[in-house]
């Protein structure tokens, strides 16, 4: 009976996938059973292969990382997800931890740490491994009462008034790209999938007042 830990690698760089596969399979107790380069393929392969562990990069084409994790978990409940990425923004880490990932590792992680994370994900369901920057580690504990910063709340309040990103930027004397960045952080912190969803969740949590006029999606 083959009792090796099976792994699905999800990364849009084929050279990185090849190197990672070679590294993982250097140990006899780990087998890479599939590779994917985008979120849709990742979900499909997770559903068909049911791997013990999915190593997932957060910046692959397709869905947001949080959505991809949720879809993988629904498609293959036994699969444990470990994030392996060059990016470890604290808001993203928080959002993914809330979705019960089993590890978040920077791609600068040592070989021994990676192998330990893969084995632990299968054998110890109460442990989460974090190998991230000190700055992100300090910030991963969310403020349960109000996870949004004052600026993020201001942006969301204006969004609730049906203002576009450009109008919010003008009102707050910001660039539109800065407004988009604040909204992305809001989505990640609240687990929202759209502007309307973010407003509704913020209202439900009493973070902002209900909008007085209908807002745009």
């Amino acid at each position: 009976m083959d009792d090796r830990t099976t792994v699905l690698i999800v990364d849009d760089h084929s050279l990185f996938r090849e190197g990672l596969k070679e590294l993982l399979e250097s140990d006899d107790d780990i087998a890479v059973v599939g590779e994917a380069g985008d979120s849709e393929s990742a979900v499909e392969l997770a559903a068909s292969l049911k791997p013990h562990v999915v190593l997932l990069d957060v910046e692959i084409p397709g869905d947001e990382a949080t959505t991809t994790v949720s879809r993988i978990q629904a498609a293959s409940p036994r699969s444990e997800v470990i994030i392996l990425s060059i990016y470890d923004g604290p808001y993203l880490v928080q959002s993914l931890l809330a979705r019960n990932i089993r590890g978040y590792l920077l791609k600068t992680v040592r070989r021994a740490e990676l192998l330990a994370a893969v084995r632990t994900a299968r054998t110890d369901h109460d442990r989460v491994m974090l190998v991230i920057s000190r700055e992100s580690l300090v910030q991963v504990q969310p403020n349960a009462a109000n996870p949004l910063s004052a600026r993020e709340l201001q942006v969301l309040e204006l969004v609730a008034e049906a203002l576009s990103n450009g109008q919010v930027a003008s009102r707050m004397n910001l660039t539109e790209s800065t407004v988009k960045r604040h909204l992305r952080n809001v989505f990640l912190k609240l687990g929202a999938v759209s502007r309307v969803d973010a407003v509704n969740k913020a209202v439900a949590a009493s973070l902002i007042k209900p909008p007085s006029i209908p807002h745009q999606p």
Side-chain angles (χ1 to χ4, degrees), residues 49 61 114 163 174 200 215:
L49 298 172
L114 174 61
L163 272 64
L174 300 172
N200 289 340
H215 44 263

Side-chain angles (χ1 to χ4, degrees), residues 1 6 26 36-37 46 94 97 103 131 134 168 174 217:
M1 179 178 178
T6 55
S26 64
Q94 287 174 357
L97 286 173
V131 181
R134 184 181 298 274
V168 173
L174 300 172

